[in-house]
Amino acid sequence: MSLRTALTRIGIAAAGGALVVGAASPALANDDWGHHHNNNSHHKLYKGVVTAPGGLNLRDRPTRGSAVVGFVGHGQKVSIFCKTSGENVQGNHLWYLLADGTWAWATARFIDNIGPAPRWC
């Protein structure tokens, strides 16, 4: 396993742990400002909209060859935790870690940011 793969998995595990903490607390789950809380840390969830005409597959790693773990339809809004470099998709090597119930990766090529671009993972 490469160092990059190991760091990506650690990031996903940490993000997943944060999701469980947030889901366990109604006060955190109902945060109206699009922020994510975990152990006194504060992480903003960024927003985007899917632009792929047929919708977008969500994957377990930032590559088109990894397992599909979900799907988001065209025009749907998504919450983005962070971005990382991954497989190049039509000239764009960025992938977003989505935080919409299932933590999964989606190519940034087919997601338009609403507001600022996400932070790096």
Side-chain angles (χ1 to χ4, degrees):
M1 178 182 333
S2 72
L3 176 60
R4 184 167 155 168
T5 301
L7 291 174
T8 298
R9 288 184 179 176
I10 290 169
I12 292 171
L19 179 63
V20 171
V21 170
S25 172
L28 297 180
N30 291 327
D31 186 354
D32 291 333
W33 295 287
H35 291 79
H36 191 74
H37 307 271
N38 181 25
N39 298 333
N40 298 323
S41 68
H42 200 240
H43 296 287
K44 179 178 182 179
L45 289 180
Y46 300 88
K47 298 292 182 185
V49 63
V50 174
T51 61
L56 189 59
N57 284 329
L58 306 181
R59 305 209 176 252
D60 70 348
R61 291 185 312 236
T63 65
R64 287 184 291 179
S66 63
V68 175
V69 296
F71 179 83
V72 181
H74 174 79
Q76 284 189 276
K77 291 183 181 177
V78 293
S79 297
I80 305 165
F81 185 72
C82 61
K83 66 183 173 186
T84 193
S85 292
E87 181 180 352
N88 187 312
V89 177
Q90 296 182 9
N92 190 328
H93 72 318
L94 296 177
W95 286 70
Y96 292 154
L97 179 59
L98 303 185
D100 292 315
T102 300
W103 290 80
W105 294 99
T107 176
R109 170 63 182 89
F110 296 109
I111 298 177
D112 283 349
N113 295 325
I114 300 171
R119 67 182 179 86
W120 288 94
C121 296

